[in-house]
Amino acid sequence: MADLKLSNVDKSYGGFAALTDISLDVADGEFIVLVGPSGCGKSTLLRSIAGLERISSGDIVLGGRHLAHVPTRDRNVAMVFQSYALFPHLTVAENIGFGLKIRKTDKATADSKISHAADLLGLGALTGRYPRELSGGQRQRVAMGRAIVRDPQVFLFDEPLSNLDAKLRVQMRTEIKALRQRLGITSVYVTHDQDEAMTLADRIVVLNGGRIEQIGTPMELYDQPVNMFVAGFMGSPPMNFIPARAVDGVLTTASGPVSGAKFASDTQTDVMLGIRPEALSFTEGGPLSGEVEVVEPQGAQTLVIVRLADGTLVYASAEKHARQLPGERVQMGFDWAEAHLFDSDSGQRIEPLKTEGLQ
Amino acid sequence: MAERYLTIALRFFIIGLGVLWSAFPIYMVVSSSFKTHIDIFAVPSKFLFTPTLDNYRQLLSDWPEFLDGLLNSLIITTGATLLTAIVSLLAGYAYSRYQSRMLTASAFFMILVRMLPPLVVTIPLFPIINWLELNDTHAILIVLYAAFFVSLSTWILKTFIDQIPRELEEAAEVEGASLMQRLIKIILPLSVHGMVAACVFVVVFSWNEYMFALIFTSSAAKTAPLVLAEISGSLEGVQWGVLFAAATLQLAPILIFVLLVQKYIVTGLTAGAVKG
Amino acid sequence: MFEDKRWLPTLMVSPVLLLLIVMIGIPSIFVAWLSLTESTLGAQSTFVGLDNYRQIFSDRIFWRATINTFVIVNVVVYAELIIAMLLALALNCKFFGKGLIFSILIAPYAVSEVSAVVMWQYAFEPDVGTFNLLLEQLFGIDFNWSRNPFHGLTLIAILSIWIHLPFTLIILYSAISTVPEDLKSAARIEGATERQVFRLVTFRIIAPAVLIALMFRYIFAMRLFSEAWLLTEGGPARLTEVLGIYLFRSAFRYFDFGPAAATGIAMQFLSLLVASFYLYRLYKGMKANG
């Protein structure tokens, strides 16, 4: 086990900057999730740590060792690939033991490590099979087995669950979490699924356009997003953004003024009012009003989608048996403590928000 | 309906003619090699006859060098095939996994060279090979045969290696494998089919080749086709049976081989000729 | 795989390139020099300019060989194309024993030129050859390929077609089997006859493969040597010579390397002329891919 330190990592091919100024400290045993939309550079960052990509500048230090000139095979990292990358011509046991064999571990030690890993992952009965004879979940476990058997300094996961169906994905997610609690291995995990990120991470790194937007615990990111990108990315359905204008410290949306909040600024500013669907409630006389467009029952709750006067669509969580009907006019309120304000131009969070009691 | 039956009839008529055309000459020679020379000259030729091995016995006593020829062919075919396989695997891997201006230019050169007629290079090679005293050796034919097939084999292997996901190699690399280990433990076992497809052509060519062998060998490295041609050339009327026996011995192993690897010939040709 | 050194790919392709350069590349260029010199085995070569070209271009036998080559190449290539196309179309359906039939059809690929010559010599043996007897009884033709140059050339062409048909057949057959059944069905639903289906759908799709098969066969057919040499050695009276035999005779029977080299240059020129269209397209494709 080891800690991992990235400082000012840049990577560009041709004129395209894939990664810009990435700095990140991963503590020993910490589970970091890199999340972001496709093309944000999260896989490139992971592959750079593995040495499968060469970084343009910056430094990667693993357990005190500078990796810049260390080839992949000597980095002592383990990686679980999106496609699992199981060797089709080798059995489960041979796949798990591949790295041990390359490193010329003696056979008795290797065999006991392989069977230990296989048992840990519930593959004990399958060690003689070939990858093509396994189900998707079993293949995923073999890939995990290949990673844990060698006691690497860091685990790298490249969207390991994205090829599984929804049900299996949730199950494997739980297994990965249980496994990491048991083994306590330093891990970097890439996903585009924010649910996975929230469930698994000690800390989440949100990437966008090759830059880090925010680093924090899942709840920090959820409660204190630094900008609209992070706010919109974390949480499902995503946060609502309602255009508003602050004049002399009073906030006004298309539905009229929203009382209860004052701002330090007394000039006129365009802002975005960010409210998560679950923070909205249907309240007679609430400050936001509009017409119900669609009602989407989801089982545990029902989503009501409301069109505000300026055309903005707002998602609101209602109770299981929502009474709202399409075409109905509704009014909604919210708790200021769960509301966020962002600068319309820069997208940055506006702090502090001075509240004067509840609406 | 009538039209449909007509199409089917036409289809099988064409196929029937094709089969007759392809098989009849082979059948005649192979079957006649087991006939007495009276049966060989029977008119019309006999389809039912008592088989005899007389021709083979006579071949061995009259032409002992034919066996040497077969052995030389075997050595040269094996050598040319191994050489082609090894160098083509390395090059096919490079063309599949790397890109550079030099590689593109050399790939173009490889295909260009394949278009040049082999007979022409014998003119300058003949004096040089004589001077180097390499004529009438196995080595010179091995190298020549390989040279004329490495471009096709490289191209076939490239298309097969293209289909092996890079991630497998990356995974092996993360597990600590070097380039050599990746080639031996990942690429080689996963491109076995490609290796067969890439080697079939050089096997058949080396076993059957006549022109280079005629120019560059005289006795020690003389191949089976060359001895066969000599038997044919020295024919004195009644010795057809011996000739048929020799032709059958030269043909049988490679014919069986071709029928066994037929599938690879088809994939190899489509990969190498059509795409390359 | 970034730790791989930059020179690594070059190193990996170098054995192949070395083989090609030493055994084919340099000799092919050296031939051009030889074609401008006069040399026999062991003698010093002297520069003679274009004399060798003048010599072969004024040689009646060279022109005879050129015409023979031209005629045989065209006959062989197009006959193969038509026969292979018919067979490939006939084979393009499912039936019992198709694998075996296909094996038999490509069997001649395994037969050496020498064995093939033995086979066809026997079939056309003037006294007992099955085909000769058939020709005589059915059409009254006395097919004597060792005396009649036209018959000799015909047999050379038949032999060539027989040996090389599998190549064309395999390429056309695999091209035809990639034509999606759906497209043909769609054309039939639109009211196309079977002939129109072939002309407007199948042929359009396989056209590139047909072109490539044609080009390769042209280039390989021009190399014609072994079959012709073994069958007639160019006789009688050098009337059935082709360019390959002309070159071989000059170089290895008369040891006249100058004219042989000039003939070689002519053969290279013709091959590259045929190949140039293909090479040009390839070159453009490679440039587009970087």
Side-chain angles (χ1 to χ4, degrees), chain B residues 71-89 137-151 153-154 157 195-196 198-209 212 223, chain C residues 16 19:
Chain B
L71 184 65
N72 284 334
S73 282
L74 184 67
I75 293 169
I76 290 165
T77 303
T78 312
T81 307
L82 281 178
L83 181 60
T84 307
I86 294 167
V87 299
S88 304
L89 181 71
T137 60
H138 295 139
I140 188 62
L141 287 186
I142 288 174
V143 171
L144 265 172
Y145 293 166
F148 276 91
F149 276 85
V150 284
S151 1
S153 302
T154 300
L157 275 165
M195 285 295 254
V196 178
C199 289
V200 177
F201 302 97
V202 68
V203 171
V204 174
F205 179 81
S206 309
W207 182 259
N208 286 338
E209 207 278 336
F212 284 132
T223 60
Chain C
V16 161
L19 263 178

Side-chain angles (χ1 to χ4, degrees), chain C residues 253-276:
Chain C
R253 287 293 177 269
Y254 309 143
F255 297 104
D256 243 350
F257 283 92
T263 313
I265 292 293
M267 287 177 74
Q268 279 186 356
F269 175 76
L270 289 173
S271 297
L272 291 181
L273 199 68
V274 176
S276 58

